[in-house]
Each structure stands twice: as structure tokens, then as C-alpha cells.
Amino acid sequence: MYSSRTLSLFVVIMVVLAGCAGGGDVAPNGDAETPSDETVDGDPDDAEAFSLGDPEQTLREAGSFTVTWQYAGVDRNGIETDVTREFYADLGAERSHTVIATGEGGEDSVTSEQFVADGVTYARTGSGDSASYAVYEGTTDVVGTAIALSQARAYGADDDLTYRGSETFDGVAVDRYELSAASSALIRAGGVAAGSADEFELTDFEYTVLVDEDGLSRYEAWSFAGRTPDGETVSGEWTYSLTGVGSTTVPDPEWLAEAQAQAAT
């Protein structure tokens, strides 16, 4: 079931990132992957019930991966939010790089970055001449972060995700599952994301999950649209993609030397 713990995590991630971070074309390993348009229809009666494997074990065994999380929405006041978080991890090399940006992309949209290598974390806030840095000993739980950005694991086999066929994503065969009706938990999450604590009329809802043979959620797309009691339109959509599993590398960011020089003064 969609637990209150995971719902809270989803809302916290969405609202916190919306308030301080967001989108951009700054990925060190390339753009986020999108699903293929070629879907082989499947008979839901012939498919196994939706289930996920152990993502922590699978990702640790793979050794590296890339996660891209994006959110865009319009609240009841007409305020638009556009947030992107890109996360690259090479567990074998003990390196990771997180890029958080807001707006429509570009260098100026980057609000923060965090690079970890050799047991040291380098944090960058702002961009261009206004950028500031912090350097400190210690690392982060890169696998835990990647898993937290996925919401598909909140669903159990008894939920209403329906098998819709198979396709290819990031060069890997995946099964497509869709949810055609929103649960009350998802509606509440949408209400919070839209900046409205009130009930609102849901006019559109879609949720899709692509799962590979290892039980990893490789791609998720969630969207809603609705109207508030006073007639304002609200909407929100987020996507999550897991790519480069076993093939992601994490190069030094261009600003690393500047961060090291600032820390040495």
C-alpha cells in the first residue's frame, strides 16, 4: 500500500526541492532517458502482479548508476515551479555528484552541487562569480538517496497497478505498469504539491512505472490536474529515471579546483 511514511517523504522531497532547487542541462553524463514509444501490448491476465526487488542490493551489485528526478507544477496562485535533481554515483570509485537546479535550464539555473571523492565532500552554492564553496570530510549515503527519489516501491502487489506490456528503456527490457485511478493518498500528495491544503476536484491523473527483470523501477511518471473550490487550475507532474546502471562514471566537476583553492585559504 502507499504508506504514510512514503507519502510524507514524497511531499517533503517535492516541497523542499521546489523551495530551494531545480532543472537544467548540466548533466555530466548526458540527458535523462525517456521511454521508447514502442510498447508491446500485454494481456494483464498473463502478467505477474506488480512487484519490486531489493533496489539497495541490486544497485550496490551494479556498482554505479544515474538518477534524474524532475518536477514541474502550477499552484493555486498561478506560481510555476520547475525543479530538477541529477544524481551520479560510482560506488567502486567512491564518487558521486549531485546537481540541483531550478527554472528552464542553463548554467544560471543551477542552485547547488555536491561532489564527493576520496572521503571529502565539496559543496557549491550559486553559479558564476557568485558561487560559494564548502569543503568537509565525510560522504553521503548515495544508494539511500537514489532509492528515496523513487516512489514506485511504495506500492505492494495488492495495489491497482495494471500490466500494459513490455518495451525498452535505456537499452534494457522493461515491463510497463499503469495506474488509471488515483488513490486518496496520491490526491492528497497532489494537493500539497499544488500549494493547496483544501480538497480539489481531480480532472486528470496518470501514473506509470517501468520495471526491469531485476525488479528495479527504471522510470516513473506521475501527473495530475485539478480545480480548487474557487475555480483555480492546479497541476503537477514528476518523472524519475534510473539509467547507466553499471556504466556510470563520475568525472571531476569543472569547479573542483576553485573549491579546493578556496578551502586552502
Side-chain angles (χ1 to χ4, degrees), residues 23-227:
D25 23 28
V26 289
N29 296 81
D31 296 331
E33 188 76 15
T34 56
S36 69
D37 293 328
E38 299 180 1
T39 300
V40 178
D41 292 336
D43 185 348
D45 294 333
D46 295 334
E48 294 183 2
F50 175 80
S51 63
L52 297 174
D54 183 343
E56 179 171 359
Q57 178 180 346
T58 303
L59 290 178
R60 291 194 184 282
E61 290 177 352
S64 66
F65 53 87
T66 298
V67 167
T68 302
W69 183 94
Q70 297 174 298
Y71 171 77
V74 179
D75 70 15
R76 64 183 306 166
N77 297 314
I79 298 175
E80 298 182 9
T81 298
D82 193 344
V83 182
T84 297
R85 180 170 183 171
E86 296 162 321
F87 186 81
Y88 309 87
D90 184 342
L91 304 181
E94 297 184 341
R95 296 165 69 90
S96 66
H97 187 187
T98 303
V99 181
I100 299 177
T102 56
E104 298 179 353
E107 182 179 351
D108 292 340
S109 70
V110 175
T111 57
S112 66
E113 294 185 62
Q114 180 175 283
F115 174 68
V116 178
D118 301 322
V120 179
T121 294
Y122 304 87
R124 182 177 191 257
T125 303
S127 59
D129 294 338
S130 63
S132 60
Y133 302 92
V135 180
Y136 52 90
E137 297 286 336
T139 61
T140 58
D141 180 9
V142 294
V143 175
T145 300
I147 295 174
L149 292 174
S150 166
Q151 290 300 301
R153 62 197 178 89
Y155 287 93
D158 59 342
D159 285 291
D160 296 326
L161 283 165
T162 302
Y163 174 70
R164 295 299 187 188
S166 60
E167 57 190 88
T168 301
F169 176 75
D170 194 34
V172 176
V174 293
D175 291 330
R176 172 182 285 265
Y177 294 86
E178 296 179 356
L179 185 65
S180 58
S183 70
S184 59
L186 284 170
I187 293 174
R188 290 197 301 274
V192 173
S196 169
D198 301 324
E199 295 282 334
F200 68 92
E201 177 188 0
L202 190 70
T203 58
D204 184 61
F205 175 83
E206 294 182 5
Y207 187 79
T208 299
V209 184
L210 304 182
V211 182
D212 68 13
E213 64 179 2
D214 294 321
L216 276 180
S217 171
R218 288 302 199 101
Y219 177 83
E220 302 167 33
W222 176 94
S223 65
F224 79 94
R227 285 187 296 270

